[in-house]
Amino acid sequence: MENEKIWIKELKEKRLAYGVSQNKLAVASHITRPYLSDIETGKAVPTQQVKEDLLNALERFNPDNPLEMLFDYVRIRFPMMCLKLSVRFYA
């Protein structure tokens, strides 16, 4: 039971340190905000899966983590200010 209290305290401290609202963390971890509130106040005991989901979601908000992006497709267009096009077709 003591480990559970420590886990809850650390979760709440991290959430507040990262500047994440209960609602934002709840949405990111696919639970409701009232359920997250119950977890943080000790009224509800989360399953191991919910704990993992909360910690994984919270780490995505960690400001010290490097930002990673994956581009599958990029299309860049540059406006052309002066374009003289001379096309000749020879048969």
Side-chain angles (χ1 to χ4, degrees):
M1 191 62 159
E2 187 63 32
N3 288 340
E4 192 71 28
K5 288 181 182 179
I6 293 170
W7 183 86
I8 292 169
K9 183 180 180 217
E10 289 175 355
L11 175 75
K12 188 172 183 177
E13 286 175 355
K14 273 187 179 181
R15 181 180 65 76
L16 294 173
Y18 296 169
V20 179
S21 68
Q22 280 187 341
N23 191 56
K24 199 174 211 178
L25 179 58
V27 168
S29 54
H30 308 291
I31 62 173
T32 64
R33 195 222 36 90
Y35 182 47
L36 178 57
S37 177
D38 287 347
I39 291 170
E40 286 188 352
T41 58
K43 294 178 185 174
V45 178
T47 64
Q48 188 61 35
Q49 182 62 49
V50 171
K51 285 182 179 181
E52 289 174 15
D53 291 345
L54 282 167
L55 291 176
N56 289 336
L58 189 58
E59 279 308 306
R60 288 194 300 262
F61 294 108
N62 185 345
D64 294 330
N65 280 347
L67 180 62
E68 294 181 14
M69 296 180 105
L70 174 64
F71 287 98
D72 187 18
Y73 176 79
V74 177
R75 182 177 187 174
I76 301 173
R77 291 182 177 209
F78 296 98
M80 301 211 146
M81 298 307 218
C82 179
L83 178 66
K84 291 184 178 182
L85 184 61
S86 177
V87 178
R88 296 181 187 188
F89 293 98
Y90 296 99

